[in-house]
Amino acid sequence: MGIRESFGGRGVRVEFGKRGRGLGRRLAGCAGTLAVALTLGGCGAILAGGDKSVPTFDLTAPSDFNAPRRGTGLLVVGPPTALAVLDTERIVVEPAPGQITYLSGAQWSDRLPALFQARLIESFENGNRARSVGRAGDGLTADYTLLTDLRSFGLQTSDGGPVAVVEVSAKIVGATSGRIAAAQVFKASAPAASTSGPQATQALDAASDQVFIEIVRWASSRF
């Protein structure tokens, strides 16, 4: 027997005969698999935005400095690159050289590369370069592109007390030629009073401020 359809007052009821029961079980299995997939997909979307129950911290952009003005060129700041260990909202801790873990009970307000890019652009603006710097992808006709790579951005605890270390490689690339016009590595550190979220992020903010200022002044003298 196959599938029988029964029409009642409230709608259609589908009944399976002996041959149709196997099909019914297969359909039910597919529906269960789909439900599991949708559930896992929903969980992934939630986790990708960070844990909302964990205290969240932000980086600031330095504002009490000036940058030199060399010319009238336009520089766009590209999205920083980083290894997967840094491409996250979580805060890196290095208890020993080559060993990576994450700070518990604290996270950044966004994925670190996006947060770094936003604060770097803001640093250029605070250094009186707002009219000559923009974000890559905003449709600007740029003369140069600033590319950065986050090499280190976290707490190091192997030598004595915790120290915030920020190391960034930067390159200025000609928009037309595609050639590297200048390149430099910037590194700064700041002691942290402890590895608690507020004090750890305060030290990382201080170290990143030094790097922001150095990158802005270095880049501004070249475009």
Side-chain angles (χ1 to χ4, degrees):
M1 295 177 65
I3 299 175
R4 294 197 304 270
E5 298 179 350
S6 298
F7 295 86
R10 294 187 178 180
V12 179
R13 184 174 72 255
V14 180
E15 298 179 355
F16 294 89
K18 293 182 179 179
R19 292 184 180 179
R21 289 173 186 171
L23 175 60
R25 285 194 295 269
R26 289 196 296 273
L27 290 175
C30 291
T33 302
L34 178 60
V36 171
L38 291 175
T39 301
L40 291 176
C43 291
I46 293 172
L47 293 175
D51 189 344
K52 305 305 181 184
S53 65
V54 176
T56 300
F57 298 88
D58 201 354
L59 291 175
T60 62
S63 58
D64 55 348
F65 75 102
N66 289 314
R69 295 183 62 87
R70 179 182 177 184
T72 58
L74 177 62
L75 177 79
V76 294
V77 179
T81 58
L83 294 176
V85 69
L86 290 174
D87 190 10
T88 176
E89 298 94 351
R90 304 180 72 182
I91 299 171
V92 167
V93 178
E94 299 179 32
Q99 183 179 358
I100 300 295
T101 185
Y102 291 102
L103 193 66
S104 61
Q107 65 182 359
W108 295 120
S109 60
D110 201 343
R111 303 186 77 84
L112 180 60
L115 183 58
F116 185 89
Q117 181 189 26
R119 297 297 172 258
L120 180 55
I121 294 173
E122 188 177 343
S123 298
F124 274 102
E125 295 170 346
N126 292 345
N128 298 322
R129 299 307 307 267
R131 297 185 61 183
S132 55
V133 175
R135 183 188 301 268
D138 283 352
L140 301 173
T141 304
D143 299 292
Y144 300 96
T145 300
L146 176 62
L147 303 177
T148 54
D149 179 66
L150 305 182
R151 293 185 172 184
S152 181
F153 204 108
L155 288 183
Q156 295 182 359
T157 60
S158 57
D159 297 326
V163 177
V165 178
V166 175
E167 183 175 356
V168 180
S169 172
K171 295 180 177 67
I172 297 177
V173 179
T176 303
S177 65
R179 296 180 179 178
I180 298 175
Q184 189 166 322
V185 175
F186 301 88
K187 185 175 182 178
S189 61
S194 74
T195 57
S196 68
Q199 293 177 326
T201 53
Q202 183 179 16
L204 285 166
D205 191 45
S208 63
D209 274 359
Q210 297 179 49
V211 170
F212 287 144
I213 292 174
E214 291 177 8
I215 291 177
V216 170
R217 287 177 170 167
W218 167 78
S220 295
S221 65
R222 286 164 172 79
F223 77 95

